[in-house]
Amino acid sequence: MNKWFLCLFLVFSPLSYGEYGVYGHGNETCADWLKDSAANPPWGRIIKHAWVLGYVTAFNNMQELNKTPLKPTDGAAISQWIDGYCRDNTEASIEDAALALVGHLGQ
């Protein structure tokens, strides 16, 4: 009985293909990223940067399984790219910025 319930739940779940949960600092905005960058010391920026590095690492791991890894980069380059994205898209989420970055690195 429980297996049938689980199957029905998964089939009729309100999430459609492509929707997923974003956890942690990815829900914050680019405006938060920029504000934290100006703080002294920039602890919020450091935490958000770690979140982005984890996102890129996880995405790259999945791409590696598909034999299409992202272009090599480093933490400083990632931070600079996110800075530019966030200056142009202050209302976007940090996850939006990270997703745009992996799109850029995947080209």
Side-chain angles (χ1 to χ4, degrees):
M1 169 96 176
N2 287 338
K3 290 180 183 177
W4 285 107
F5 177 75
L6 179 60
C7 289
L8 289 173
F9 175 77
L10 292 174
V11 169
F12 295 105
S13 173
L15 295 177
S16 63
Y17 180 77
E19 292 182 25
Y20 53 91
V22 176
Y23 304 100
H25 295 284
N27 289 307
E28 296 182 41
T29 67
C30 277
D32 295 325
W33 173 279
L34 297 171
K35 179 185 72 169
D36 287 342
S37 297
N40 188 18
W43 298 119
R45 163 68 177 260
I46 292 166
I47 292 168
K48 289 172 183 64
H49 185 251
W51 188 93
V52 171
L53 292 176
Y55 186 98
V56 172
T57 299
F59 193 93
N60 199 36
N61 184 41
M62 294 306 297
Q63 293 300 99
E64 179 70 27
L65 294 174
N66 294 327
K67 308 292 188 225
T68 56
L70 301 174
K71 292 178 200 168
T73 190
D74 60 34
I78 286 172
S79 188
Q80 289 175 349
W81 197 95
I82 298 289
D83 284 346
Y85 181 92
C86 284
R87 278 192 295 274
D88 294 340
N89 302 281
T90 56
E91 297 301 313
S93 70
I94 293 172
E95 193 269 340
D96 291 335
L99 184 59
L101 171 64
V102 297
H104 171 74
L105 294 174
Q107 294 177 350

